[in-house]
Amino acid sequence: MSTLATATVDLVAFSDNVATVQRCLTGGAQLCAVVKANAYGHQTLPCAKAALAAGATWLAVSSAAEAAYLRSNGIAAPILVMGAISAEELTIALEAQADVVAWSEPFVEAIARTGLPARVHLKFDSGMGRFGTRDAQELARVAAAVTATAELELVAVMTHFATADDLEDPFFSEQLTRFTRLAKELKASYPEIFLHAANSAATLRQPDSHFDMVRCGIALYGMDPYGKDPYAHKLKPVLELHSYVASIKPTAAGESAGYGRRFVATEATNIATVPIGYGDGFRRALSNNSQVLIGGQRYRVVGSVSMDSITIDLGAQPTVTTGQRVTLIGRDGDQQILAEEMAQWLGSINYEVTTGLLPRIPRIELPSEEQR
Ligand SMILES: *Cc1c(COP(=O)(O)O)cnc(C)c1O
């Protein structure tokens, strides 16, 4: 193996997930593929291209720089910048011909001051309590300001759900009701606008939330929006994370492995050292608290996760040999470690597991560009 640790990104599985999500869309809703944060750690450009090839018609990112990156790499599809944009970043977003989100009159004035043509989506805060305005009258004033400015085009009204991933929580349907009411009112005044609200969790559970477009990220990467089992929704995990056994060391009772001696052998065993660590995004909270797959078997990560390595307890009679592949996320034989399982070890969510993989890990597209 040429590299210490690598992540494979299965673009066939990704395209299948795009198709799976698309099959559940109702009323002709379009699919906007969310590729922010390096496509949740999966690499922006290959995922953006694969999403569009598989039938997504829009892309969404969080920042102006992400939009500019897509445009400068030849992406022609509409791009929505969903996050906050500073005055400096506005020019970057608009020069990249990305659509922007607005919810205040001063921001509309800032857009106008750039002198650039701009397509604007209004953001209604129906309950997320982050970006957007809760005030329907303010949104109506912002809509009027957009349509009154020559260079600006009012394109859509949107919202974002806070609890769509929690099937028990009634707040989701409350948000949906609030947004539906507001959207009807706005559409009466501006019939040309379109509506979008759903993330992956809403898309999979609630056809009423699809409106004219859905904005899906996590499901396309083959992770479960509800944090449990992607296969329950016919989603295929896209990313696998691998390293290899760099050394195997017989370890006697009383001998330790790693910083702080947080593992001390209680009986004779063998410790494998695997060259991946928190410098790669294999988080230190996984110390003495996680497993890996080698040769189709599960083994415990013992001791502290270092910046560049982890130590694995192979037991007294190891069948593992030096050089063998180690799977940190993914399938090996009958065993599989999902991002969802790693998230549980971390007390986190699947989103953070793949998004947290650091640049030192090369992402390898499957099939490779030559094979496609
Ligand atoms: C990230 C994001 C999404 C995508 O959410 P998933 O749960 O990954 O499908 C949709 N809308 C907004 C505003 C977002 O920030």
Side-chain angles (χ1 to χ4, degrees):
M1 203 169 296
S2 59
T3 334
L4 304 175
T6 54
T8 55
V9 176
D10 182 348
L11 294 174
V12 175
F14 180 81
S15 304
D16 288 349
N17 296 331
V18 171
T20 299
V21 168
Q22 250 171 337
R23 269 195 299 277
C24 85
L25 297 184
T26 50
Q30 313 227 352
L31 174 60
C32 172
V34 179
V35 295
K36 62 191 179 190
N38 197 24
Y40 296 38
H42 293 64
Q43 276 212 126
T44 307
L45 204 54
C47 290
K49 287 180 181 169
L52 295 169
T57 47
W58 280 72
L59 298 172
V61 290
S62 275
S63 73
E66 290 172 320
Y69 172 76
L70 286 167
R71 254 327 157 239
S72 66
N73 281 282
I75 298 291
I79 300 171
L80 173 63
V81 178
M82 300 183 297
I85 307 182
S86 69
E88 295 81 11
E89 289 166 327
L90 248 181
T91 312
I92 296 171
L94 297 178
E95 281 177 348
Q97 293 173 303
D99 289 22
V100 296
V101 175
W103 57 85
S104 79
E105 289 166 281
F107 189 70
V108 173
E109 285 155 24
I111 300 173
R113 274 196 301 275
T114 66
L116 295 164
R119 291 164 44 91
V120 179
H121 299 231
L122 302 181
K123 184 141 192 187
F124 178 54
D125 178 5
S126 59
M128 177 64 108
R130 292 186 323 197
F131 299 131
T133 173
R134 294 190 172 100
D135 179 351
Q137 281 169 0
E138 181 175 24
L139 213 60
R141 289 196 302 274
V142 176
V146 170
T147 49
T149 313
E151 296 286 329
L152 272 57
E153 185 185 347
L154 184 62
V155 176
V157 60
M158 65 183 287
T159 196
H160 193 35
F161 296 112
T163 60
D165 58 331
D166 181 351
L167 297 168
E168 312 287 298
D169 193 318
F171 193 63
F172 169 62
S173 58
E174 197 173 317
Q175 276 197 274
L176 183 55
T177 304
R178 288 180 194 168
F179 178 68
T180 307
R181 191 182 316 128
L182 170 118
K184 264 200 196 127
E185 279 170 27
L186 269 177
K187 206 154 158 101
S189 315
Y190 306 98
E192 70 281 8
I193 62 172
F194 72 94
L195 315 176
H196 54 99
N199 56 4
S200 297
T203 300
L204 296 184
R205 71 183 274 197
Q206 186 78 29
D208 286 3
S209 72
H210 294 174
F211 298 101
D212 302 302
M213 182 170 91
V214 300
R215 307 182 306 266
C216 292
I218 197 82
L220 307 185
Y221 304 104
M223 292 184 280
D224 180 4
Y226 315 101
K228 297 189 180 79
D229 177 16
Y231 296 104
H233 310 283
K234 300 193 165 63
L235 299 169
K236 302 174 181 173
V238 171
L239 182 139
E240 293 205 347
L241 179 62
H242 299 115
S243 186
Y244 71 100
V245 176
S247 92
I248 298 176
K249 178 169 293 179
T251 301
E255 290 180 322
S256 64
Y259 284 115
R261 305 195 73 207
R262 287 168 71 195
F263 170 77
V264 181
T266 52
E267 55 197 290
T269 188
N270 290 273
I271 298 295
T273 303
V274 176
I276 186 171
Y278 62 80
D280 303 289
F282 191 88
R283 301 253 304 275
R284 197 165 178 278
L286 295 167
S287 302
N288 276 324
N289 176 35
S290 59
Q291 297 170 4
V292 301
L293 307 179
I294 312 173
Q297 305 270 345
R298 284 182 178 252
Y299 294 92
R300 288 187 311 128
V301 172
V302 293
S304 300
V305 171
S306 301
M307 189 182 291
D308 311 310
S309 62
I310 56 175
T311 39
I312 311 293
D313 189 356
L314 298 179
Q317 245 106 52
T319 52
V320 172
T321 52
T322 304
Q324 224 176 320
R325 185 160 99 147
V326 177
T327 301
L328 303 115
I329 299 172
R331 186 184 283 285
D332 184 359
D334 296 338
Q335 291 290 330
Q336 185 169 24
I337 295 174
L338 292 167
E340 285 76 7
E341 184 175 12
M342 188 172 282
Q344 262 197 343
W345 294 330
L346 285 166
S348 180
I349 54 176
N350 44 10
Y351 294 75
E352 197 185 30
V353 167
T354 60
T355 307
L357 295 178
L358 296 175
R360 193 163 73 182
I361 302 217
R363 312 309 206 263
I364 299 176
E365 296 151 39
L366 300 176
S368 69
E369 202 150 11
E370 303 85 69
Q371 290 166 326
R372 290 206 293 277

